Amino acid sequence: MLNLNTLFHVLLAFNTCLIILEILTPYAEYFLPYFVRSPEEGLRIGTSSMGRFMGIFDQTFISGFAYSLGLMTWVYNFEKKRVKNLLFEGMLLLLLLIGGFASVSKVFFIVGILLSLGLFLFIAKTGTKIMALVFGSIFVLFIAPIFINNWIGIDYLQELFYGIVGETSLDKITSGRLGNDTGIYSTVLPQDFPMLIGAGFTLYNLPFFDSEFVQFFVQGGLIAIVLYFLILLKNISIWFSLKRKFYKEKGLLFAVLVLGFITAFGGPVFLMNRVRVFYFLLLFFLYKISVSVKNEKIKVI
C-alpha cells in the first residue's frame, strides 16, 4: 500500500509539472492533447480562463479529489515509513499542494485539506506536528506572495472564500446542487420515470450527471439508492472492525470514506477518470487489513 501511494504521489507530481508548464509557458497546446482530447474543448477552456488548471484531468472535481486523496495518503506514508527521505517527501508534498491549489477545487479546499490536516493531527507524533507548524509557516510567508501577485486564479479563490465565509450557504458551497430551487436535485426528482427501478443506463433527459446520488437514482431508482447506501454502511462496519493498534489505517480509511461520500454530491465518484483505479486499490488494501485483523493473521511490525 505504501508503494502504491508513492506511485500515486509521483504521478500527481508529474501532473503538477504539466500544470506549471501550462501556467508559465505558452507550450501547453503541444503536450496537453496527448493527455486530454483538446485543451480548447468544453470545460477546460472555461476553467483555465479563470486560473483553474487541472493538467490531465478533464473535470475540476476530479482534479480536486485526486490531489485530496494524494495529500491524505502522503500524510499516512510519511507517518508510516520508518526511514524517510525528507527531500523527496518534501518535494512530493510541495507539488501536491501546488497542484491542488492550482485546480481551485472546492473538493480540495473544503474537504481534502481539512481531512488531511485532521488525519495528520490524529496520527502524527508531537515532534512532527511542531516541525510541520514551523516549516508550514515559513512556506506560507515566502511562497504565498508569489501566488497572490502572479496567479490569476487568486481572484476566483478569493471570490470562493468570501462567498462561503460571508454567506455560509449550501448554495455557495455546493454550487447550487443543494439549497437551490434550480439545482440538479430539484431538476431530477420531478422527472417522470420508474421510481423503483429507474430509467436504465442512460443520460435520460439530463446533459450530464453532476452527482453520484442523482446518477444512481435516475439509472437504478430506489433499488440502486438503497444498495448504494448499503455499500456505505458496509464500509462503516469495516472501519469499526479495525482495532485500536491500527489507528493510522483506521484514520486513513475514515478520511477516504468521508472524501468519497462528500465528493459524490458533486460528481460520480465510481466513474471518475484517471483516479478511481488508485481510489479502489487503496480501499482494497484497507479492506485486506481489516480481514486479516479479523482472522488474526496480521502482525504489527
Side-chain angles (χ1 to χ4, degrees), residues 271-283:
L271 299 177
M272 289 183 299
N273 292 327
R274 300 176 175 90
V275 67
R276 68 177 181 269
V277 172
F278 287 96
Y279 175 64
F280 287 115
L281 282 175
L282 178 62
L283 285 177

Side-chain angles (χ1 to χ4, degrees), residues 106-266:
K106 287 189 286 293
V107 173
F108 182 76
F109 284 101
I110 299 177
V111 186
I113 290 180
L114 294 179
L115 285 175
S116 299
L117 180 60
L119 179 63
F120 176 73
L121 295 176
F122 180 68
I123 70 175
K125 299 178 181 178
T126 303
T128 307
K129 294 176 185 177
I130 296 174
M131 182 180 66
L133 177 62
V134 173
F135 283 98
S137 300
I138 295 173
F139 172 78
V140 170
L141 288 174
F142 283 93
I143 301 298
I146 299 176
F147 277 92
I148 293 174
N149 295 328
N150 299 300
W151 178 35
I152 61 175
I154 194 66
D155 294 331
Y156 183 85
L157 183 59
Q158 288 176 332
E159 179 183 348
L160 172 64
F161 175 78
Y162 290 123
I164 294 174
V165 174
E167 300 183 19
T168 317
S169 63
L170 284 175
D171 182 27
K172 286 290 184 181
I173 295 175
T174 64
S175 297
R177 294 179 182 91
L178 294 175
N180 191 318
D181 292 337
T182 61
I184 187 171
Y185 291 91
S186 58
T187 301
V188 169
L189 293 178
Q191 295 289 334
D192 182 22
F193 61 88
M195 298 287 287
L196 183 62
I197 61 174
F201 195 78
T202 171
L203 291 180
Y204 205 58
N205 293 325
L206 298 173
F208 58 89
F209 289 117
D210 210 12
S211 165
E212 187 161 73
F213 303 112
V214 170
Q215 175 174 331
F216 275 84
F217 179 68
V218 172
Q219 293 179 346
L222 294 176
I223 294 177
I225 284 292
V226 169
L227 292 175
Y228 181 83
F229 280 100
L230 286 177
I231 293 173
L232 295 179
L233 291 175
K234 179 61 177 178
N235 287 332
I236 294 173
S237 70
I238 292 173
W239 177 76
F240 275 110
S241 70
L242 286 172
K243 297 181 180 180
R244 182 176 299 178
K245 61 184 178 181
F246 295 100
Y247 70 97
K248 293 181 181 180
E249 288 73 23
K250 196 167 186 176
L252 178 61
L253 179 58
F254 176 81
V256 170
L257 293 178
V258 172
L259 175 66
F261 177 76
I262 296 179
T263 305
F265 284 99

Side-chain angles (χ1 to χ4, degrees), residues 22 38-54 58-60 102-104 152-153 156:
E22 186 177 0
S38 171
E40 302 297 325
E41 288 182 4
L43 182 66
R44 295 190 63 87
I45 189 170
T47 54
S48 60
S49 67
M50 294 186 292
R52 308 170 74 182
F53 300 94
M54 301 174 291
D58 54 4
Q59 297 228 18
T60 308
S103 68
V104 197
I152 61 175
Y156 183 85

